Amino acid sequence: MTIETNERIFLRVVEAGSLKAAAEQLGTDPSSVSRKVAALEVRLGVKLLQRSTRRSVATEAGKKYYDGMRRLVAEQAALEAHVARETDTPRGLLRVTAPNNIGDVHVAPVLTSMVKMYPDLRVELILTGEAPDMSEKGIDVSIRIGHLPDSNLICRKLIDVPVLLIASKTYLKKRGTPKKPADLPGHDFLFFNRMQRDTPLEFIGPNGAESVKVSSKFMVNSASVVRQLNREGFGISLGNRWAFKGLLESGELIQLLPEYTLEPYPLYATYVSTAFVPAKIRRFVDLMATYSSGELTEWVMKAT
């Protein structure tokens, strides 16, 4: 669609951050953009933007309208491409959330590749420890690790992420090196969340399955803080190889009980169910699956 509707112009203003920036993108003047947004506000009977000379920020009503309208516009583009039998190319703004402990090293490279491949695509990566309400926050795709609660979201499993037990040489020198799962209850653990803390560790090893309940020394929902506490010898942590890759390869941190296998964490891409899923979402999820498989293969090769 080449003609910009008032609704699409409003989306441009919110994403560009000002009337002037939006006007430059559209090849028009700021007064024209302002009139069209004002006409939309009159039709809806609410104020959508707080305007200043330098910035235009969405009001609370404007944020809700932006989140809903952005999704509708993306679905419309997908529908039109389907009806016209055209290849729907990723474009517009792709908003993705991911956990802090994997977003920077696992999700960001995929988004970087997409920006290079698709000139009309813009991305926003939000790193957070909590799974947000996707519809309310205007999120396109949420990358989550661990078992998911039932919901009306589409969930595509990407891979099973191997889980490691990790400790520093400092900690092991002070507290001793566990040789088997039964040695772990006497040790201090660093946990990322309550689910980790409250769930027994399930091992598969030379003697079959073993279940061990361990205690928490420190719990913090930050992978960087857990890594630092690990390095300083505060305890043993559970983690995926991506989060601790450099420290393990340097030998600063050590994998414990390598002959035992812990139950892996499933990694999912979740998105809202619609009749026509926009190309930006489909392509991102496909690339995440491909990249994840490659990362897992690399991990297995290095671990054997």
Side-chain angles (χ1 to χ4, degrees), residues 162 164 241 249 255 258 296-304:
L164 314 178
R241 189 172 183 84
E249 290 177 349
Q255 178 186 353
L296 182 59
T297 300
E298 178 188 356
W299 186 90
V300 170
M301 289 177 65
K302 287 189 175 182
T304 57

Side-chain angles (χ1 to χ4, degrees), residues 164-237:
L164 314 178
L165 283 180
I166 302 163
S168 68
K169 293 178 180 178
T170 302
Y171 175 84
L172 297 176
K173 184 177 180 180
K174 179 175 58 177
R175 299 294 303 275
T177 302
K179 302 298 184 183
K180 56 186 182 300
D183 296 336
L184 294 174
H187 284 269
D188 297 327
F189 273 75
L190 310 169
F191 289 127
F192 188 76
N193 54 35
R194 292 182 180 179
M195 184 180 74
Q196 272 193 346
R197 182 195 66 187
D198 297 338
T199 304
L201 301 180
E202 304 290 342
F203 291 92
I204 299 294
N207 299 319
E210 297 183 54
S211 179
V212 177
K213 186 73 174 69
V214 295
S215 59
S216 170
K217 178 72 172 182
F218 207 116
M219 184 172 67
V220 55
N221 67 337
S222 167
S224 61
V225 175
V226 169
R227 283 195 297 268
Q228 188 58 37
L229 292 171
N230 228 168
R231 295 170 70 184
E232 294 177 6
F234 275 86
I236 299 171
S237 66

Side-chain angles (χ1 to χ4, degrees), residues 96-118:
V96 178
T97 66
N100 298 288
N101 60 335
I102 63 169
D104 53 349
V105 296
H106 192 63
V107 181
V110 175
L111 292 174
T112 301
S113 298
M114 288 190 69
V115 169
K116 292 177 180 177
M117 286 188 288
Y118 305 110

Side-chain angles (χ1 to χ4, degrees), residues 2 22 27 42 55 65 110 210 262 278 296:
T2 57
V42 170
R55 275 191 63 77
Y65 188 72
V110 175
E210 297 183 54
L262 279 162
L296 182 59

Side-chain angles (χ1 to χ4, degrees), residues 8-19 22-23 33 37 49 56:
R8 289 174 183 249
I9 288 174
F10 167 70
L11 296 183
R12 289 262 193 170
V13 173
V14 173
E15 292 169 7
S18 71
L19 296 169
V33 172
V37 173
L49 292 175
S56 296

